[in-house]
Amino acid sequence: SSELTQDPAVSVALGQTVRITCQGDSLRTYYASWYQQKPGQAPVLVIYGKNNRPSGIPDRFSGSSSGNTASLTITGAQAEDEADYYCNSRDSTGNHLRVFGGGTKLTVL
Amino acid sequence: EVQLVESGGGLIQPGGSLRLSCAASGFTVSDNYMSWVRQAPGKGLEWVSVIYSGGRTYYADSVKGRFTISRDNSKNTLYLQMNSLRAEDTAVYYCARDVTYFDYWGQGTLVTVSS
């Protein structure tokens, strides 16, 4: 079982705001990173660190964290944002293992 | 331009061995942490292993003792030696540069463990 917990599925109306959450004890110590994955494609980094976006990622993507919960917010969701989203961090038992959340399927209505 | 290209996947019988390769360009593998991540069909991402720039290695419990991560500095290539393969190891295997987050990923190579 994953040490990072995500809701399996979330939906959002086109143009509205959606928050995808990730819970885990390790998030009290380490930042989460977030990945977007579309069918048949490799994951793409969308948020890392406190709230950083790699070059080419639209500014409608943002990240935040509070306590044991990290969040990915999409402000003004677009049809092309429909994808699976995964959080990632270190595991809670040691500093060297990595762990992914189970993933959230985002549907844009 | 950073590029990661995996190879070596295929169909293998249970109990068999396979070595995956990940050829890197645009950066030096030995100067970075590098990880393998896998994804079983229809499932989520699972971190498998990391090799640090200093050479230390770490593994997920699911593969510890069966898989070995290594690199060839002269070829700028990362490897994953997989032994005692099981049906549950069937997945697309990705290599990724690990800078506490995974900023570059390969396209993946499919490993199918089946008789």
Side-chain angles (χ1 to χ4, degrees):
Chain A
S1 62
S2 173
E3 296 182 40
L4 296 178
T5 301
Q6 297 182 240
D7 291 329
V10 171
S11 62
V12 61
L14 185 66
Q16 296 304 300
T17 296
V18 62
R19 177 176 292 181
I20 298 170
T21 61
C22 174
Q23 290 188 303
D25 287 342
S26 63
L27 300 179
R28 298 184 186 277
T29 306
Y30 301 104
Y31 287 120
S33 52
W34 290 92
Y35 304 84
Q36 177 192 70
Q37 187 181 35
K38 297 181 179 179
Q41 297 182 18
V44 173
L45 177 69
V46 294
I47 291 289
Y48 64 95
K50 189 173 183 180
N51 180 19
N52 300 295
R53 283 176 290 105
S55 174
I57 301 301
D59 61 5
R60 64 179 178 271
F61 289 87
S62 63
S64 62
S65 184
S66 178
N68 73 336
T69 301
S71 300
L72 172 70
T73 300
I74 307 174
T75 303
Q78 301 300 302
E80 61 264 33
D81 300 334
E82 185 163 293
D84 294 325
Y85 290 86
Y86 296 91
C87 61
N88 166 260
S89 187
R90 300 297 180 95
D91 91 325
S92 59
T93 60
N95 292 336
H96 301 294
L97 304 187
R98 285 80 165 127
V99 63
F100 283 95
T104 297
K105 168 64 178 175
L106 176 66
T107 300
V108 180
L109 303 172
Chain B
E1 179 192 6
V2 170
Q3 194 171 14
L4 295 167
V5 179
E6 300 96 337
S7 61
L11 175 63
I12 187 76
Q13 292 188 339
S17 297
L18 208 57
R19 189 179 80 159
L20 306 183
S21 300
C22 169
S25 57
F27 73 100
T28 302
V29 165
S30 60
D31 289 342
N32 287 270
Y33 295 2
M34 296 292 296
S35 274
W36 287 96
V37 176
R38 69 183 181 182
Q39 186 169 36
K43 303 297 184 182
L45 301 174
E46 180 188 14
W47 175 79
V48 172
S49 180
V50 64
I51 183 166
Y52 284 2
S53 50
R56 285 182 296 167
T57 59
Y58 299 92
Y59 300 89
D61 288 345
S62 59
V63 306
K64 193 180 300 181
R66 301 188 298 122
F67 289 12
T68 302
I69 191 171
S70 64
R71 66 189 180 215
D72 184 329
N73 297 345
S74 67
K75 295 182 179 179
N76 207 33
T77 298
L78 177 73
Y79 299 102
L80 186 67
Q81 177 67 44
M82 305 185 295
N83 299 331
S84 303
L85 282 162
R86 307 166 179 167
E88 55 264 36
D89 296 318
T90 294
V92 173
Y93 285 74
Y94 298 99
C95 62
R97 191 170 76 168
D98 185 338
V99 291
T100 75
Y101 47 89
F102 305 110
D103 61 348
Y104 292 100
W105 296 68
Q107 84 289 349
T109 187
L110 175 62
V111 173
T112 303
V113 184
S114 175
S115 54

